[in-house]
Amino acid sequence: MNGGNPKLRRLYLRLKHFILGTILNGIEGIWRDDHDWITYTSFDNLKCQFNSSFEIRRNDGTIASIVSTGRFEQQDFSVYIWPDYKGVPYPLNTNDYE
């Protein structure tokens, strides 16, 4: 949140178990449930798609989407920092912060 790693664009972790609410505890943001599918293009041209996320915004306006998906005994935790690697800006309305 403080911009300690300005080169970070995407973080992906596969974990056995975590509680998303515990990780996000105390972080201000907006749940974006059931929106249209968003595509984030990664550095290796991998297309990451999601339709539900937790949106956070830094003081400088940088937006990140936090996405969690569960698969049996493993869960994925991803953070996507906008714009993506192709320069595509965050596609959803951000007026909720104003």
Side-chain angles (χ1 to χ4, degrees):
M1 289 299 291
N2 295 328
N5 187 352
K7 293 183 179 183
L8 179 67
R9 307 299 309 152
R10 176 179 173 237
L11 174 68
Y12 171 78
L13 302 171
R14 177 165 282 169
L15 306 167
K16 286 188 178 185
H17 179 73
F18 66 90
I19 300 170
L20 186 60
T22 301
I23 294 172
L24 299 177
N25 187 31
I27 297 175
E28 291 186 34
I30 299 170
W31 282 106
R32 301 285 191 172
D33 290 328
D34 299 323
H35 50 67
D36 290 338
W37 285 95
I38 291 177
T39 300
Y40 181 95
T41 304
S42 189
F43 71 94
D44 54 359
N45 212 31
L46 176 70
K47 306 265 189 252
C48 308
Q49 294 187 313
F50 55 94
N51 69 344
S52 181
S53 59
F54 185 73
E55 173 189 303
I56 58 175
R57 179 185 265 190
R58 270 194 338 219
N59 290 337
D60 68 359
T62 300
I63 295 174
S65 299
I66 299 174
V67 179
S68 173
T69 57
R71 295 185 188 143
F72 305 105
E73 292 183 8
Q74 294 182 339
Q75 291 179 289
D76 297 339
F77 175 84
S78 302
V79 180
Y80 304 106
I81 294 91
W82 298 93
D84 71 4
Y85 282 87
K86 287 192 169 185
V88 175
Y90 184 66
L92 298 180
N93 181 352
T94 60
N95 290 334
D96 294 335
Y97 289 98
E98 298 171 357

